[in-house]
Amino acid sequence: MALDLCGQLCKVILIIFNIVFALIGAAMLGLGLWLRFGADTQGLFDVDFNTQQFAIAVIVLIVLGAVILVVAVFGVCGACSGSSGALTVFAIFLSIVCGLVIAAGVLAFTRSDEVGEQMAMFYATVYAKYLNTGDPSMTVTLTLMHNWFQCCGLVGALDILVKKTCPEHSFTEFFTMPACPPAIVDLFKDKAPLVLGLFLGTAALLAILLVCISILVKEIKRTKQFSSY
């Protein structure tokens, strides 16, 4: 199938994107399955949450990873084989994903305070579970959260109850490292515009890919019509 330069470029872009897309989907699926069924994290699902956001988030991660993987397969098959049908299915899925990305970005931006408070509530629940049981999964979770948010416990670096899970710090940082609940809430408030920008940037990338799909489908149909004469 002889495509012109623009068609060939779009084909290469779609193949590269879908390979990356498939790797991201596989990583999300693997992470979700590990969080749900891993021996080190199984205890997280025994936490008596005031909210069940964590369990829901893990299920969403698994489902989303599987969907991304399937969509990427359609994209790769369509781009490599020159199947306009597979590319059309891929374009439909991509349009839906693009709309969901925009909606998620706007929702995260407008409800950043609530998201931060829920995350802080989740942290407090894991903190209590860690102190009560010493569960290894709680140790892993607290360590990840402390390093991610650069905070320590409920009172900062002075919180000796969870000291071993806190980030390494200098002598001066010992007095300045914040407590986690307010640090988590403040981070979600301060970074809300950045999060919105990331979501909208992702949506713009998906829109460019939709244009590439449209060009490639037209080129495929043109070459098939030309070869039939």
Side-chain angles (χ1 to χ4, degrees), residues 70-185:
V70 172
V71 171
V73 169
F74 272 104
V76 171
C77 291
C80 291
S81 65
S83 170
S84 57
L87 286 172
T88 300
V89 172
F90 176 59
I92 293 172
F93 277 119
L94 208 59
S95 300
I96 295 172
V97 171
C98 186
L100 291 175
V101 165
I102 294 173
V106 172
L107 188 63
F109 179 75
T110 56
R111 304 184 68 177
S112 58
D113 291 352
E114 183 178 340
V115 173
E117 290 169 1
Q118 292 290 348
M119 182 60 73
M121 186 185 300
F122 169 69
Y123 172 84
T125 306
V126 174
Y127 179 94
K129 179 78 171 180
Y130 170 79
L131 294 184
N132 291 334
T133 66
D135 193 309
S137 65
M138 300 299 109
T139 304
V140 172
T141 307
L142 274 183
T143 302
L144 289 173
M145 295 186 78
H146 285 157
N147 283 278
W148 179 264
F149 295 109
Q150 284 300 299
C151 61
C152 182
L154 298 181
V155 294
L158 295 172
D159 194 334
I160 59 174
L161 298 176
V162 293
K163 184 178 180 180
K164 69 177 184 178
T165 64
C166 293
E168 295 183 2
H169 49 265
S170 64
F171 179 76
T172 55
E173 289 174 336
F174 181 82
F175 298 99
T176 59
M177 184 169 290
C180 284
I184 292 170
V185 173

